[in-house]
Amino acid sequence: QVQLVESGGGSVQAGGSLRLSCAASGFDFSSYSMAWFRQAPGKEREGVAVIDSDMITKYADSVKGRFTISQDDADNTLYLQMNSLKPEDTAMYYCAADYRDYDWRVISISRDRFEYWGQGILVSVSS
């Protein structure tokens, strides 16, 4: 069955960096769209970044220029490199996967477009 397992979260001071990983199994990783979402306490889950099967990427405006999504098809692993972290980046971060292809250049990164989810991992940024 499909499994997505996040790792790499933790606590960091503002301005620092973290790299999240998502180990995927049970599906054809290279043919799926993969994404990172986050959810802060009391807020809706929001799309942070997506990468599709053609390696086209899209980012939320709030993280553009600071976060980079990438994947290693040989290891079936999705990454999120987070630099220049801010306190407002504090949230649970989730890895997500879906087989459907969208034109992410015009489609928003919304949770209803992803079927499979990891359990989440906490990122905490202090000022």
Side-chain angles (χ1 to χ4, degrees):
Q1 73 276 22
V2 173
Q3 281 195 316
L4 300 170
V5 181
E6 299 96 338
S7 61
S11 297
V12 65
Q13 287 192 322
S17 298
L18 283 174
R19 188 176 79 157
L20 303 183
S21 300
C22 172
S25 61
F27 63 101
D28 184 8
F29 180 75
S30 64
S31 69
Y32 274 47
S33 286
M34 301 295 299
W36 289 99
F37 285 75
R38 67 185 181 186
Q39 188 166 16
K43 293 191 175 181
E44 295 285 323
R45 191 171 298 188
E46 64 170 347
V48 173
V50 64
I51 184 168
D52 72 7
S53 58
D54 293 322
M55 299 297 181
I56 293 173
T57 59
K58 178 175 179 171
Y59 297 89
D61 288 343
S62 58
V63 306
K64 275 182 187 175
R66 300 188 299 122
F67 290 12
T68 303
I69 189 170
S70 62
Q71 64 183 67
D72 183 338
D73 290 344
D75 288 339
N76 285 3
T77 303
L78 179 73
Y79 298 101
L80 184 69
Q81 178 66 44
M82 305 185 293
N83 298 329
S84 303
L85 282 161
K86 304 175 181 179
E88 52 263 44
D89 294 318
T90 295
M92 285 291 289
Y93 283 72
Y94 298 88
C95 171
D98 199 275
Y99 67 92
R100 290 169 290 187
D101 268 337
Y102 295 102
D103 185 352
W104 294 108
R105 295 168 295 180
V106 298
I107 295 294
S108 62
I109 313 170
S110 63
R111 61 185 299 179
D112 61 347
R113 296 193 169 103
F114 289 86
E115 182 173 359
Y116 302 108
W117 293 85
Q119 80 286 353
I121 194 159
L122 180 63
V123 171
S124 179
V125 184
S126 59
S127 57

